[in-house]
Amino acid sequence: MKTLIQLTVNGEPVEAAVDANRTLLQFLREDLELTGAKHGCGLGDCGACTVILDGKPVNSCLVLAVQANGRSVLTIEGLAENGKLHPIQQAFVDKGAIQCGFCTPGMILSAKALLDTNTKPTEIEIRTAISGNLCRCTGYQKIVQAIQDAAEAMTGKEGS
Amino acid sequence: MLLPRFEYHEPTTLEDALNLLHELGGNARVLAGGTDLLVKMKRKLEKPSHVISVARVPGMDQIIPRNGHAVTIGAGVTAAELARNELVMDRFTPLAIAAGKLGAPPIRNRASIGGNLANARPAADFPPPCMVLNATLKLKSAKGERDIPVNDFFRGPGETVIEPNELLVSLHIETPPPWSGGSYIKLGARKAMEISMVNVAAMITLQSADGPIVDVRIALGAVAPTPVRALAAEDLLVGAIPSEELFRKAGEIGVGMCSPITDHRGTMEYRCMMIEVLTKRCLTEALARAKAWKP
Amino acid sequence: MRDFQVLGARAPRLDAPAKSTGQAKYADDLTMSGMLHGALLQSPIAHGKILNIDTSKARKLKGVRAVVTAREAGLVKYGVSPARYDETLYCHEKVRYVGDEIAAVAAVDLETALEAVELIKVDYEELPAVFDMFEAMKEGAPQLHAEFPGNVTAEVHQEFGETGALMAQCDLVVDHTFLSKRQDAAFIEPHSCLAVFDLQGKLTLHTSTQVPHYVMRTVAMVLRIPVGDVRVIKPCVGGGFGPKSEATPLEMSACLLSKVTGRPVRMNYTREQVFLHSRARHQFYAEMSLGVKKDGTMLALRNKAVLDGGAYTSFGIATVYYSGSLLGGPYRLQAMKYDGWRAYTNKPACGAQRGHGGVAHRACFEQLLDKTADELGIDPVEMRLKNVMVAGQATINELNMSSLGMKECIEAVRDGSDWKNKKGKLPKGKGIGSACGFFVSGAGYPIYRSDTYHSTVVIKVAEDGGTVTVLTGSAEIGQGSDTMLAMIAAETLGIPLECVRVLSGDTEYSVDLGAYSSRQTLMTGHAAKEAAESVRRQIAEVLSVHMGCDAAHITFRNGNVLFRGGPGDFEKLRQGYIKEHRGWTDPPGGDYLTFREAARLAFLEKGTLVGTGKYKPPRLGGAYKGAAVGTSPAYGCSAQVVEVSVDLETGQVSVDNMTDAHDCGLAINLTSVEGQMQGSLSMGLGECLFEEVKFDSRGRIINASLGEYKIPTALDMPNVKSIVVESNEPNGPYGAKEVGEGAIMPTIPAILNAIYDATGVRINELPVTAERLYMAMKEKEKKP
């Protein structure tokens, strides 16, 4: 039996009938064709499926689609506006923080959730914020630098 | 990894939740954050025919201060919430520290204290802090309610006193007296996303900043089928003037309270040695906080 | 002398914007209408005879479209090296490890496919199994393959120089042993693929692979389809690190199921299946003796290796050769003896992983070097410098170091880490250690014996002359090869990087052996350069006629054409171009004829402008058996200094600082070079401190998840001081060579040497868990 859910995805209202055992990740990837969130493990171990649910980064492989009913979901597809990269995305591109890119959507969303609440994070705060997002390619250094750069770019913009 | 099929329920009142549990009992599992239950279901370790989400039951996700004397923490409060709550950090420190060490942010944003306790993994992060804080757990059913001291809550790995028709609703914790301080230490391989090899929580109450210990509690996790209180070590400490030597002895005694196993994370022998070291360290940290206590 | 327009910069990667927005497509992101979902049946036991397979219930399940076993797939043997083709797509007589593939199902959805897999009934006669490499080689051990008695997949016995005689002349001979553990590559993207046969019977396979070319050949061979009818397309790949360098049963199953059903078939490995498929780093046992003179001069090395290969050979022959050959440098030796064995065990097969075959033996050797320096009272960095090879020298096993900035790397990390003020001067619990290493920049020979080109590249210019497209079969798997190729093409054509597009990872585009053995920068880079030169030459030829200028005097720079170094009188050509472009609002301007105008003119005269390039290494290496493994047109090298803190009460190690220098020849894209260096160190740190695939007593993996198999998190990895040392590699395009694998070589021994410095304890078994180190420290305390 399917359940009717209504939620906001990247600012747009979405209504759908879903099976109870469908995860939010499956719902986003397969039903809404938002394939930016990645399936890396299915068990909340890697963070590749991270999306922002009501302002907080979560592993969408461990959230049921029905649990997202009435809530607001931000995926990586919802970050760039009118083809212009979000400052965090731009910093990831500029700093070489992206290699294979499979962790990138989750990593950027974890960074966004951090910078939304902490505009001047320390290095350890950044590392803690992305500690649930595994990256095997970069050794994290350029990711951390990109987030630092993005924080500066974003506060600079607000200040001006 | 697919989830098995099940029927989903999302009661919006406590009464409805309890009635559902009463009706479905053993065929249902309660879903809070899902970071344990959904993993078990994906791994086919659990196959409930009904899943009852308590996310929309009012009050489950609240931390309610009780006039400075106590706090009530809803079972659905997330680890992230506990880690950043100032009252919890200030007065119920071991709980806040443990919350900040559970998994990583995306897990902490979902994982609930009630779920962590009810799952009763021997290595879980929340039981030792709750034990040193003498938390009382409120279990409710359609038929009534009961308050269970956390020390009587765990029965074995994955087993608690919760009956199939009962719901863990909240924790009640009395504010520790003046000159109290606590800490929590977790030993794992990585600095995040870890399951403890050994974990220790401690709470110390002094008579005054430089006075003797008037009350102390030590709880150890991942060292026995259930988390355990190091009662004999506590006995040694009560009434004594704290010292490094004393804490070292407490650690030694603490080891005697444990029956760790050897598994792929570590051997019994090493776990025992670490109980000793970490107990000493945790007591030292707790003492520092007790001495720095402020009204 | 160095005057590059594009190379040597910090270029943002071409694929980064798409990857940052979620637009980049990985195999699992692709769908097709009518697509079926496949699932595999894998053995639950480690060793057994298959008595019967009953698929009737599975076939009857609603929604199932096909069930295939060895009966449908046939029994074509395959593997990596033709000398050891020891696998069939599905098991028919025997299963050899928990996870061995028995059957595959295609159904309308994954749930149905998985249910059908459960309905396949297999009767086994369980056989005794062997899980330990030493046990496996003992007499009377359970035998995995009748063709390879004694469970020895491969053995190597090599000697260069008179080891025995030289050892006798040494003032000191020091021994060391080392045991590493089976590692997993733990790329974040599990294997995924989508196969579709069209109505002409031609196959297209979209798959997460490092080697579209080899996958194409293996799929064609196993499924008995002409190679030309198989097209393999690699979408974005979420990391490979080695284990995605061979065709998988997943890919072949998807192809077979698509053939049988006439529908597109998607298949994925779960994370657990990634561990079961493995093909990742072997477990290595190393035993070595190093003979030196009193002054620290190295004379001779004895090296013995035993490798746990798992149930099949995969890359294993090369692996066991590499464990010997890669110790030929970067230090001068007068003699070297190597004996290696690779054992079959009833576990998932091991293959190639970053630093293929060399990592564990390098770790052992660099510890042995430190131990020796210690006994001689010589600073280990000084001892390294004393023995280091220089460019132009060849190793005792005939590997030619055409460029080698090893000395410069050692000096860079010595100075960059403040070694002289730290070594021997840190408090107990703090330690500093160093190590070196080198690695091939592309294997000298293809995996199958052939005179094939290793890389071909096609460069095509758009008809308006404004955009240049590089077509290549090479594999961008996250390392940055597409951007590297674009930069080489832009540099060669004298045009801005923005004018170059790269289409890669498709076997239709060109022949390329793929992303393994750190080969693409050198080999595909060469082919791209040659293709661009061809395009440049064709344009220059056309221009030379129109301008009455010798083609040799025409150069291209920053998108402009220079005639004898100046603008020349090109007005007529410009007018012609503008006339051609009537109605367009982007007429060329400026003081020089642009590349766009020139290329348009060339198109008008010659038709579509296409340049091709190719590369294969010259004949390399010695004449001895196994001489091919370890050969390369060039070698990259690294030195590292690591500082650690050890918690003396718990044994926990924190890596505080890492200083890393790598010689990559010319650094084409500095940002990407640093990224490879930092990523290598992170992987090395994980292998050193955390990582081990563990099995229970029945051969089942007990930590087949990223929660229990622990790779470093952002909190475990320190910032690295990355120093790029540039040499000019004569055999590399513009002097470039590898960085992707050589950089991992020193990491493990540098950490281990630092731990020794901090604690006085030498750990010779990985991973260095807190418990292992703590127990070793206790043990040392007991001894007087």
Side-chain angles (χ1 to χ4, degrees):
Chain A
M1 199 191 69
K2 290 187 193 271
T3 308
L4 193 68
I5 58 170
Q6 292 177 317
L7 64 161
T8 307
V9 178
N10 299 331
E12 301 285 330
V14 171
E15 196 176 287
V18 293
D19 283 321
N21 65 342
R22 202 152 181 79
T23 63
L24 178 58
L25 178 64
Q26 288 174 305
F27 175 67
L28 291 170
R29 287 180 55 81
E30 296 167 21
D31 298 357
L32 303 187
E33 294 178 10
L34 293 171
T35 55
K38 302 299 177 200
H39 184 278
C41 70
L43 300 173
D45 292 329
C46 76
C49 66
T50 303
V51 300
I52 297 183
L53 179 66
D54 282 350
K56 291 172 189 144
V58 301
N59 294 303
S60 62
C61 73
L62 294 184
V63 178
L64 299 175
V66 288
Q67 286 180 292
N69 189 16
R71 306 198 189 277
S72 171
V73 178
L74 179 71
T75 74
I76 193 69
E77 289 89 346
L79 219 51
E81 280 177 24
N82 304 321
K84 188 172 163 18
L85 298 185
H86 183 278
I88 302 175
Q89 292 171 315
Q90 191 62 51
F92 269 60
V93 171
D94 293 342
K95 276 282 149 186
I98 300 171
Q99 289 190 26
C100 87
F102 207 73
C103 74
T104 304
M107 201 66 89
I108 288 176
L109 290 170
S110 282
K112 170 153 197 317
L114 169 71
L115 298 185
D116 283 348
T117 55
N118 182 352
T119 53
K120 283 183 187 160
T122 61
E123 185 187 329
I124 192 79
E125 285 170 337
I126 292 173
R127 288 185 178 272
T128 303
I130 59 168
S131 62
N133 297 87
L134 296 178
C135 168
R136 190 61 150 170
C137 295
T138 64
Y140 302 102
Q141 189 162 336
K142 291 186 184 295
I143 294 173
V144 173
Q145 285 166 354
I147 298 170
Q148 284 167 333
D149 272 24
E152 271 176 38
M154 288 162 74
T155 48
K157 200 169 72 183
E158 274 162 31
S160 62
Chain B
M1 297 197 99
L2 299 180
L3 281 165
R5 291 186 174 268
F6 54 85
E7 207 170 308
Y8 180 73
H9 307 270
E10 203 174 69
T12 51
T13 67
L14 183 59
E15 197 186 349
D16 285 353
L18 298 178
N19 284 338
L20 270 167
L21 269 174
H22 183 74
E23 198 181 302
L24 302 168
N27 295 323
R29 289 301 315 262
V30 173
L31 174 67
T35 52
D36 279 313
L37 179 63
L38 297 182
V39 169
K40 283 190 207 163
M41 287 169 68
K42 284 186 174 187
R43 287 190 155 150
K44 299 188 177 132
L45 301 172
E46 297 235 15
K47 206 173 180 282
S49 40
H50 296 267
V51 168
I52 303 170
S53 166
V54 292
R56 287 175 218 265
V57 172
M60 290 284 285
D61 59 352
Q62 279 171 18
I63 300 174
I64 304 165
R66 303 283 177 198
N67 295 329
H69 300 301
V71 68
T72 301
I73 298 171
V77 171
T78 63
E81 201 55 52
L82 286 166
R84 70 170 155 256
N85 185 284
E86 273 177 34
L87 171 68
V88 177
M89 188 63 217
D90 200 30
R91 294 291 182 231
F92 310 93
T93 317
L95 201 52
I97 297 175
K101 300 207 167 187
L102 187 151
I107 298 288
R108 295 202 274 276
N109 284 330
R110 298 294 294 169
S112 69
I113 184 165
N116 190 268
L117 293 172
N119 264 292
R121 268 178 97 157
D125 284 301
F126 281 130
C130 289
M131 289 165 84
V132 298
L133 288 165
N134 253 351
T136 304
L137 311 185
K138 188 169 286 295
L139 305 180
K140 285 193 178 181
S141 70
K143 294 277 170 67
E145 65 174 71
R146 51 183 182 140
D147 291 319
I148 304 285
V150 70
N151 290 306
D152 301 334
F153 181 69
F154 301 103
R155 284 264 170 86
E159 283 176 43
T160 69
V161 301
I162 303 180
E163 296 292 333
N165 64 346
E166 279 181 318
L167 180 67
L168 170 56
V169 178
S170 63
L171 294 79
H172 183 81
I173 309 175
E174 301 287 328
T175 305
W179 306 109
S180 293
S183 197
Y184 174 77
I185 295 181
K186 167 178 187 170
L187 182 74
R190 296 186 290 193
K191 294 193 176 98
M193 298 298 292
E194 267 304 311
I195 294 158
S196 305
M197 184 146 48
V198 176
N199 58 32
V200 184
M203 203 67 211
I204 286 180
T205 304
L206 301 174
Q207 202 171 58
S208 62
D210 299 309
I213 297 170
V214 291
D215 197 8
V216 62
R217 284 186 288 274
I218 304 165
L220 307 163
V223 296
T226 66
V228 292
R229 279 275 293 279
L231 295 171
E234 294 172 7
D235 287 347
L236 171 84
L237 296 171
V238 172
I241 296 288
S243 71
E244 203 187 318
E245 178 56 20
L246 188 69
F247 287 171
R248 198 189 55 73
K249 269 192 197 146
E252 261 175 44
I253 296 170
V255 179
M257 320 297 292
C258 304
S259 51
I261 55 162
T262 289
D263 66 10
H264 73 93
R265 293 192 196 96
T267 62
M268 175 190 80
E269 202 187 353
Y270 179 67
R271 282 191 159 108
C272 286
M273 294 180 199
M274 289 308 104
I275 292 164
E276 205 177 315
V277 173
L278 299 186
T279 302
K280 180 189 77 181
R281 286 188 182 179
C282 198
L283 285 167
T284 307
E285 290 178 12
L287 176 68
R289 289 203 178 91
K291 281 174 174 289
W293 184 88
K294 288 200 177 64
Chain C
M1 82 176 220
R2 187 173 140 166
D3 180 24
F4 294 123
Q5 306 302 302
V6 180
L7 304 181
R10 289 188 178 275
R13 293 172 47 140
L14 304 181
D15 54 358
K19 284 176 173 176
S20 78
T21 55
Q23 285 167 27
K25 294 290 179 206
Y26 298 76
D28 189 35
D29 302 335
L30 308 173
T31 53
M32 283 184 186
S33 55
M35 185 174 85
L36 300 174
H37 296 260
L40 286 170
L41 173 66
Q42 292 169 281
S43 172
I45 62 169
H47 200 190
K49 275 187 193 157
I50 298 175
L51 303 177
N52 186 44
I53 303 175
D54 179 0
T55 60
S56 55
K57 274 194 187 148
R59 286 177 201 276
K60 279 180 208 145
L61 185 69
K62 189 167 171 275
V64 170
R65 293 288 179 270
V67 180
V68 290
T69 64
R71 185 196 296 257
E72 290 76 18
L75 297 173
V76 176
K77 289 233 172 172
Y78 75 96
V80 171
S81 171
R84 291 290 187 290
Y85 279 175
D86 57 5
E87 299 187 60
T88 54
L89 176 48
Y90 303 115
C91 301
H92 58 113
E93 286 164 341
K94 256 176 62 151
V95 291
R96 295 183 175 87
Y97 72 96
V98 174
D100 222 350
E101 297 81 6
I102 297 161
V105 174
V108 292
D109 56 35
L110 182 58
E111 195 178 3
T112 308
L114 291 169
E115 197 181 334
V117 162
E118 305 254 306
L119 292 174
I120 300 172
K121 193 171 169 293
V122 184
D123 299 324
Y124 301 98
E125 179 193 326
E126 207 160 337
L127 296 169
V130 60
F131 303 116
D132 177 84
M133 54 186 171
F134 298 105
E135 294 299 318
M137 293 197 296
K138 284 183 184 161
E139 216 168 276
Q143 299 291 300
L144 272 85
H145 296 267
E147 311 89 295
F148 302 105
N151 291 324
V152 175
T153 337
E155 59 184 291
V156 185
H157 304 284
Q158 297 176 333
E159 184 165 11
F160 308 94
E162 299 286 330
T163 315
L166 271 164
M167 285 287 188
Q169 292 171 28
C170 289
D171 296 321
L172 178 68
V173 176
V174 183
D175 303 327
H176 193 58
T177 60
F178 184 74
L179 182 68
S180 72
K181 295 294 162 61
R182 170 185 289 248
Q183 212 191 349
D184 188 82
F187 33 74
I188 311 298
E189 181 208 21
H191 307 70
S192 173
C193 63
L194 172 57
V196 56
F197 270 86
D198 66 17
L199 294 173
Q200 283 183 294
K202 308 252 189 286
L203 168 65
T204 303
L205 170 66
H206 305 262
T207 184
S208 172
T209 184
Q210 299 174 229
V211 288
H213 174 82
Y214 289 124
V215 171
M216 171 189 76
R217 289 180 62 95
T218 307
V219 165
M221 183 180 79
V222 172
L223 300 185
R224 288 158 295 191
I225 317 169
V227 166
D229 287 359
V230 181
R231 177 181 186 184
V232 175
I233 301 175
K234 174 213 70 67
C236 288
V237 169
F241 312 112
K244 289 180 186 170
S245 313
E246 57 190 289
T248 64
L250 192 79
E251 291 161 331
M252 288 182 268
S253 294
C255 294
L256 177 61
L257 289 168
S258 177
K259 190 179 179 189
V260 172
T261 59
R263 302 261 294 266
V265 176
R266 108 126 43 263
M267 292 186 81
N268 293 339
Y269 277 146
T270 62
R271 179 55 60 179
E272 186 182 12
Q273 287 173 310
V274 171
F275 279 87
L276 289 176
H277 175 65
S278 182
R279 315 286 155 153
R281 178 126 42 238
H282 291 66
Q283 179 179 15
F284 295 82
Y285 169 75
E287 205 176 285
M288 290 180 197
S289 309
L290 177 64
V292 293
K293 288 300 225 185
K294 261 201 294 261
D295 67 354
T297 306
M298 295 180 195
L299 292 184
L301 173 69
R302 255 192 229 110
N303 174 19
K304 196 177 123 181
V306 183
L307 279 64
D308 181 351
Y312 298 100
T313 300
S314 176
F315 271 87
I317 302 181
T319 319
V320 68
Y321 273 107
Y322 270 130
S323 298
S325 66
L326 289 179
L327 287 182
Y331 310 109
R332 289 183 302 270
L333 287 168
Q334 293 179 29
M336 180 168 85
K337 185 175 188 314
Y338 174 58
D339 297 284
W341 292 264
R342 181 187 188 270
Y344 282 125
T345 56
N346 291 108
K347 293 188 289 193
C350 298
Q353 189 171 321
R354 195 176 221 163
H356 189 188
V359 171
H361 283 254
R362 176 58 53 190
C364 182
F365 180 81
E366 295 286 324
Q367 275 190 297
L368 173 58
L369 192 159
D370 260 46
K371 225 170 150 177
T372 309
D374 212 28
E375 289 201 26
L376 292 171
I378 300 176
D379 179 282
V381 164
E382 291 309 315
M383 180 153 160
R384 287 184 170 87
L385 282 170
K386 185 177 182 61
N387 289 282
V388 77
M389 297 172 68
V390 296
Q393 292 180 331
T395 65
I396 183 98
N397 52 338
E398 300 177 59
L399 310 180
N400 182 25
M401 302 292 162
S402 37
S403 66
L404 192 74
M406 193 69 256
K407 178 167 168 282
E408 292 79 358
C409 286
I410 298 173
E411 289 167 348
V413 296
R414 179 194 63 194
D415 300 343
S417 66
D418 200 15
W419 171 270
K420 285 181 175 167
N421 287 317
K422 287 176 179 167
K423 175 63 183 170
K425 292 169 189 153
L426 298 174
K428 195 159 165 60
K430 299 259 182 200
I432 189 165
S434 66
C436 296
F438 79 105
F439 198 70
V440 301
S441 191
Y445 296 86
I447 292 166
Y448 57 93
R449 274 298 127 94
S450 165
D451 281 332
T452 180
Y453 283 99
H454 293 213
S455 291
T456 64
V457 165
V458 179
I459 292 184
K460 210 177 89 180
V461 187
E463 45 116 21
D464 81 326
T467 304
V468 166
T469 304
V470 178
L471 294 153
T472 165
S474 66
E476 168 66 75
I477 58 167
Q479 80 283 46
S481 58
D482 279 2
T483 310
M484 174 273 296
L485 293 171
M487 291 174 83
I488 285 181
E491 183 71 43
T492 309
L493 289 167
I495 55 175
L497 184 57
E498 305 82 72
C499 297
V500 183
R501 214 151 63 105
V502 177
L503 299 177
S504 67
D506 185 332
T507 52
E508 291 292 294
Y509 295 159
S510 84
V511 170
D512 197 287
L513 301 185
Y516 71 101
S517 80
S518 294
R519 54 174 298 287
Q520 290 186 161
T521 293
L522 192 145
M523 299 193 182
T524 317
H526 253 305
K529 181 167 178 263
E530 190 179 291
E533 283 164 352
S534 160
V535 169
R536 198 178 64 190
R537 195 168 47 246
Q538 294 176 55
I539 298 172
E541 278 164 14
V542 171
L543 288 174
S544 74
V545 174
H546 286 265
M547 296 288 292
C549 170
D550 189 342
H553 294 138
I554 300 172
T555 50
F556 299 81
R557 203 175 163 79
N558 292 330
N560 292 327
V561 186
L562 282 71
F563 302 95
R564 292 198 181 84
D569 182 13
F570 60 86
E571 202 44 39
K572 212 176 100 199
L573 299 185
R574 174 154 294 169
Q575 289 314 319
Y577 185 92
I578 290 172
K579 214 180 258 175
E580 270 254 314
H581 269 64
R582 236 180 319 185
W584 293 63
T585 55
D586 59 343
D591 297 337
Y592 290 88
L593 184 72
T594 61
F595 178 88
R596 182 160 64 126
E597 292 164 277
R600 173 67 183 175
L601 184 66
F603 163 74
L604 293 175
E605 300 216 348
K606 300 171 75 101
T608 297
L609 214 52
V610 174
T612 61
K614 62 200 180 307
Y615 179 80
K616 72 175 156 188
R619 194 165 173 76
L620 296 167
Y624 59 91
K625 184 170 190 282
V629 186
T631 60
S632 176
Y635 297 89
C637 59
S638 311
Q640 281 159 31
V641 169
V642 169
E643 289 167 67
V644 300
S645 298
V646 176
D647 184 329
L648 298 171
E649 284 187 326
T650 64
Q652 283 178 300
V653 176
S654 266
V655 177
D656 302 328
N657 292 302
M658 302 176 106
T659 309
D660 176 27
H662 186 89
D663 166 22
C664 63
L666 170 82
I668 289 179
N669 187 348
L670 265 173
T671 307
S672 291
V673 169
E674 289 168 355
Q676 286 299 304
M677 291 167 68
Q678 291 158 10
S680 291
L681 268 63
S682 168
M683 191 175 265
L685 182 145
E687 181 172 5
C688 187
L689 298 182
F690 309 132
E691 297 178 32
E692 176 183 1
V693 179
K694 298 172 189 174
F695 293 84
D696 69 9
S697 62
R698 301 182 63 192
R700 294 174 297 199
I701 301 176
I702 52 181
N703 59 341
S705 73
L706 294 177
E708 292 282 359
Y709 180 86
K710 297 163 197 290
I711 67 171
T713 70
L715 287 167
D716 299 299
M717 187 61 200
N719 282 320
V720 179
K721 187 171 186 177
S722 307
I723 304 167
V724 177
V725 169
E726 291 185 299
S727 62
N728 186 7
E729 170 52 53
N731 299 325
Y734 294 106
K737 54 184 181 179
E738 74 87 36
V739 60
E741 297 186 80
I744 199 175
M745 289 292 168
T747 308
I748 295 170
I751 296 173
L752 294 172
N753 287 337
I755 290 172
Y756 175 76
D757 191 47
T759 63
V761 171
R762 220 166 249 304
I763 300 294
N764 59 358
E765 182 175 347
L766 296 184
V768 191
T769 58
E771 169 161 3
R772 191 182 312 283
L773 180 53
Y774 181 81
M775 292 304 192
M777 291 190 294
K778 278 258 152 196
E779 193 61 32
K780 183 166 184 278
E781 268 173 31
K782 277 190 222 156
K783 287 181 194 155

